[in-house]
Amino acid sequence: MTSTLSNPPVQQNMANAIRALAMDAVQKANSGHPGMPMGMAEIAVALWSRHYRHDPANPRWPNRDRFVLSNGHGSMLHYALLHLTGYDLPMDELRNFRQMHSKTPGHPEVDITPGIETTTGPLGQGLTNAVGMALAEKLLAAEFNKPGFDVVDHYTYAFVGDGCLMEGISHEACSLAGVLRLSKLIVLYDDNGISIDGHVTGWFGDDTPKRFEAYGWNVIPAIDGHSVAAVDAAIASAKTADRPTLICCKTVIGKGSPNMEGTDKVHGAALGDKEIAAVRAALGWTAAPFEIPADVYTAWDAKPAGAKVHGAWRDLAVAYAAQFPKEAAELQRRMAGDLPANFDTVADAFIAACVDQQETIATRKASQNTIQALAQVLPEFLGGSADLTGSNLTNWKESIAVRHDQPGNHINYGVREFGMSAIMNGIALHGGYLPFGATFLTFSDYSRNALRMAALMKLRSLFVFTHDSIGLGEDGPTHQSVEHVSSLRLIPNLDNWRPCDTTESAVAWKESVKRRNGPSTLIFSRQNLQFQQRSAQQVAAIARGGYVLLDAPDAKAILIATGSEVELAMQAAKALAAKSIPVRVVSMPSTDVFDRQDAAYRASVLPRALPRVAVEAGVTAFWHKYVGLDGAVVGIDTFGESAPAGVLFKHFGFTVDKVVAAVERTLA
């Protein structure tokens, strides 16, 4: 389609088709953002008709370029491009923009619309996902490419706006991208100077080119974003750089609107019938709403070029497989997200070893031991930590730190918790790696929206959080998680595991790795936790999220506990037995997984007839879903204090006497 670039009238009609579809769809829905698609139309023509390698007939082929619309409020730009270039996105879907169950929701969503690589909405996260995608490409290329066989060789392109760059996560992600020299990441910045509140000069005065130069990026400043030729040349130049590139495109928001272009009025609302008519007249666009002239469809059609580039790669992959069959099979397995055939065998053998060894250690150390065991069979493990590797213990003996000139499998993310989590999501979206990253549990607040997006997108991202309670000790209330575990349990489709010892930690890792339809958190202690004896049947039941750890034939109550408080519950059960009050102890490492079990199993673990007391070193409100209004919760509804862990647990009432008293009150 290179001929389009030497034919300005064709280019203009291609751009105007985007403008028309954007303003018509937003008008019909009476909801949306027409300004950005209208302003970035020529940028889209340059990228999608000349540089972007994709196949509309096969949107998921592994070596396609990735395109991310980080300023996702302008989703009609993406939907228009997908429709025009030949994806399975018929015009009726554009007519149903922002309507229930359509393939054109208000922000692009992965697995809803063919050709969408990530769900974008909260600004800056799409850009950060793109960093993760580019990082995955670089590492996979280093691992699998052979001389003459660049089977992993593609670019990641991202469109961003002022809002993406104002969000703090853009600093975290782009700073790391510069250090790692992700040269196949090309970001096109829609520099239109407008956000919802108006001209950004009153609140956004950054010298953006200098900012990105300071990150170590290649920067192409101040090009005319309405010149297809200028944008094309800039992208071509970016491809020769040895570092990520920011292309700063000066644009006019709502370009083509005689009375609204360049203003915030065109940012987030329909233009209205009168102004749309004026746009059509100004552009010379005579086609009716949701109609595209045949010659414009022909100019945009990417199916022939897509089939050609995809076919060439497929031929290369066949030749690669013939010469390197082991590597080809491994790459195919990992891109498909399949686990090695012997994964269960290795994981189960390690779990059995935990049962035999009966170690009393911190669960963060139990986690590291599990990582060490699983890494032997999971070359796709890509670990990391937000500057806390020595505390989170997410490295292993054979792990290699990722550097710009050194591929590896462990990432030093720096003090960038939010950036780390969203980069992990980008890695998971790209495929080929199983990312996990860690920080202290109290810093999960910084990561929270990326965790939510992982859950929404059903990604296989594993978030490790250590130092899980007041048990971390002297650092004080700023670092002592109280509400965090309960708040994470509120995120739909996020599995949260808080294991009580080595065996539960190993099972939690196994189940999180095996999960294919959503992310998991793995929440571990700083302090040593007592090993708990179990039968083989009990070990198997851990995977169900909650199970009976200690039973009594004539139990009068149930103690429910997680993590470090399981040990306390077991001690309290012994003290209660001495007072002729037999109780059942239920360990519930994952309430999320337990809640998915069938009703019969849940009733077998938590019989309705027995009163219940929950014990967890966190806020109490969550636990009433299990204990009811008549049950009791031994928890903490204040912030912590700075003192040694043992002193804190006693001060806040996590003692055998307090648990015993709670049971007695419940039975009174």
Side-chain angles (χ1 to χ4, degrees):
M1 297 179 63
T2 57
S3 62
T4 61
L5 297 178
S6 59
N7 191 331
V10 173
Q11 297 169 10
Q12 198 59 60
N13 282 338
M14 293 171 72
N16 288 342
I18 295 173
R19 294 187 171 98
L21 289 174
M23 66 182 184
D24 289 341
V26 172
Q27 182 67 24
K28 186 174 185 297
N30 194 28
S31 175
H33 300 74
M36 185 280 268
M38 296 173 73
M40 293 195 78
E42 284 84 7
I43 299 171
V45 171
L47 175 61
W48 278 61
S49 69
R50 181 62 183 265
H51 297 278
Y52 182 46
R53 297 189 311 165
H54 62 120
D55 183 1
N58 294 276
R60 306 297 295 175
W61 68 287
N63 201 44
R64 67 193 182 277
D65 288 340
R66 270 59 169 180
F67 173 74
V68 175
L69 190 77
S70 187
N71 42 350
H73 55 273
S75 57
M76 266 310 303
L77 173 69
H78 207 167
Y79 299 145
L81 287 166
L82 293 171
H83 170 77
L84 292 167
T85 54
Y87 285 78
D88 183 17
L89 193 68
M91 189 65 82
D92 281 348
E93 293 292 349
L94 274 61
R95 290 190 181 95
N96 288 329
F97 178 55
R98 289 185 168 228
Q99 303 309 300
M100 182 73 76
H101 303 312
S102 76
K103 291 184 179 181
T104 51
H107 288 77
E109 293 186 42
V110 71
D111 295 330
I112 299 295
T113 315
I116 299 297
E117 298 287 354
T118 183
T119 299
T120 52
L123 291 174
Q125 286 202 62
L127 170 60
T128 309
N129 293 164
V131 171
M133 293 173 189
L135 176 56
E137 189 276 341
K138 179 174 182 174
L139 295 177
L140 277 175
E143 186 174 354
F144 285 99
N145 286 353
K146 303 292 183 182
F149 292 95
D150 289 341
V151 289
V152 181
D153 181 17
H154 53 266
Y155 286 89
T156 300
Y157 299 99
F159 284 2
V160 305
D162 289 312
C164 296
L165 300 186
M166 281 188 261
E167 290 285 0
I169 192 173
S170 70
H171 164 69
E172 296 184 26
C174 295
S175 173
L176 185 59
V179 171
L180 296 178
R181 298 186 191 175
L182 303 180
S183 59
K184 289 188 176 178
L185 173 63
I186 298 176
V187 176
L188 294 106
Y189 166 37
D190 179 29
D191 183 11
N192 61 36
I194 295 291
S195 65
I196 291 174
D197 280 355
H199 290 275
V200 300
T201 52
W203 50 86
F204 184 49
D206 299 10
D207 187 328
T208 298
K210 287 184 179 178
R211 170 187 164 191
F212 276 78
E213 286 173 1
Y215 293 149
W217 283 51
N218 172 48
V219 177
I220 302 175
I223 70 166
D224 180 359
H226 299 299
S227 167
V228 173
V231 177
D232 169 47
I235 297 171
S237 174
K239 288 180 173 179
T240 68
D242 63 352
R243 59 197 65 218
T245 295
L246 178 74
I247 302 174
C248 301
C249 304
K250 296 296 292 185
T251 64
V252 176
I253 192 171
K255 178 72 171 176
S257 173
N259 301 300
M260 295 184 182
E261 69 176 21
T263 73
D264 58 282
K265 293 179 181 179
V266 75
H267 183 281
L271 300 183
D273 291 332
K274 183 177 180 180
E275 186 65 14
I276 287 176
V279 173
R280 278 185 154 78
L283 298 179
W285 187 262
T286 59
F290 298 106
E291 289 186 8
I292 301 295
D295 62 327
V296 176
Y297 271 129
T298 299
W300 268 117
D301 186 8
K303 293 191 293 295
K308 183 178 180 179
V309 70
H310 184 188
W313 177 82
R314 193 164 46 236
D315 292 343
L316 178 69
V318 169
Y320 177 81
Q323 191 162 340
F324 306 102
K326 181 180 178 181
E327 290 86 349
E330 178 67 6
L331 179 59
Q332 184 177 17
R333 176 189 71 79
R334 285 168 54 174
M335 290 303 292
D338 297 331
L339 292 174
N342 61 340
F343 173 77
D344 281 340
T345 300
V346 171
D348 290 343
F350 180 74
I351 292 167
C354 291
V355 174
D356 291 340
Q357 292 167 6
Q358 302 185 19
E359 288 185 291
T360 292
I361 56 176
T363 51
R364 62 171 174 161
K365 180 60 179 174
S367 167
Q368 185 180 45
N369 292 345
T370 308
I371 293 170
Q372 180 68 49
L374 298 184
Q376 307 310 306
V377 72
L378 290 176
E380 58 263 51
F381 254 3
L382 184 56
S385 175
D387 202 49
L388 289 167
T389 302
S391 294
N392 300 146
L393 305 182
T394 49
N395 56 342
W396 61 101
K397 291 178 183 178
E398 300 84 7
S399 62
I400 300 171
V402 173
R403 298 292 184 263
H404 77 86
D405 57 352
Q406 174 181 282
N409 50 16
H410 190 273
I411 302 169
N412 299 106
Y413 285 100
V415 188
R416 302 181 179 102
E417 296 88 358
F418 192 7
M420 172 183 72
S421 301
I423 287 171
M424 286 168 53
N425 289 346
I427 292 168
L429 285 159
H430 180 280
Y433 290 104
L434 180 56
F436 61 92
T439 186
F440 288 170
L441 178 59
T442 196
F443 303 150
S444 65
D445 282 343
Y446 286 164
S447 302
R448 187 178 183 89
N449 204 271
L451 270 65
R452 180 178 183 272
M453 293 302 292
L456 192 155
M457 290 189 275
K458 302 179 181 178
L459 299 183
R460 213 172 182 180
S461 298
L462 307 181
F463 303 98
V464 177
F465 298 120
T466 68
H467 297 59
D468 67 341
S469 72
I470 59 172
L472 71 87
E474 292 86 344
D475 272 345
T478 60
H479 283 50
Q480 291 166 3
S481 301
V482 175
E483 75 278 22
H484 295 78
V485 176
S486 285
S487 70
L488 290 172
R489 291 172 179 143
L490 298 177
I491 299 177
N493 198 42
L494 178 66
D495 280 1
N496 301 278
W497 290 87
R498 187 174 183 245
C500 76
D501 67 357
T502 56
T503 305
E504 285 192 0
S505 297
V507 172
W509 264 106
K510 177 190 173 186
E511 295 304 310
S512 298
V513 167
K514 291 186 69 173
R515 188 179 187 216
R516 298 190 63 152
N517 63 347
S520 302
T521 72
L522 294 137
I523 301 168
F524 300 117
S525 72
R526 175 181 185 264
Q527 72 274 27
N528 290 347
L529 302 186
Q530 179 68 47
F531 177 82
Q532 301 298 328
Q533 298 285 347
R534 297 175 187 83
S535 67
Q537 184 178 10
Q538 287 173 312
V539 172
I542 296 171
R544 305 191 75 166
Y547 64 100
V548 178
L549 179 60
L550 176 70
D551 209 1
D554 53 349
K556 298 184 182 301
I558 302 174
L559 286 173
I560 309 170
T562 78
S564 51
E565 287 68 66
V566 170
E567 178 180 343
L568 174 59
M570 293 290 281
Q571 294 169 348
K574 183 178 180 180
L576 286 161
K579 301 178 75 170
S580 298
I581 306 175
V583 297
R584 167 181 286 191
V585 176
V586 169
S587 178
M588 198 175 287
S590 178
T591 61
D592 310 281
V593 174
F594 179 76
D595 287 350
R596 288 201 298 271
Q597 304 306 306
D598 60 82
Y601 178 77
R602 286 182 279 117
S604 73
V605 174
L606 299 175
R608 291 183 179 276
L610 294 179
R612 306 164 186 178
V613 175
V615 187
E616 185 173 64
V619 293
T620 61
F622 169 84
W623 285 102
H624 286 284
K625 68 181 285 188
Y626 297 105
V627 304
L629 297 178
D630 297 326
V633 183
V634 178
I636 174 172
D637 288 317
T638 66
F639 293 110
E641 297 283 350
S642 181
V647 174
L648 290 169
F649 278 116
K650 184 176 181 180
H651 172 76
F652 287 107
F654 292 96
T655 65
V656 169
D657 289 345
K658 290 286 187 180
V659 176
V660 168
V663 172
E664 290 176 330
R665 286 196 307 273
T666 303
L667 294 174

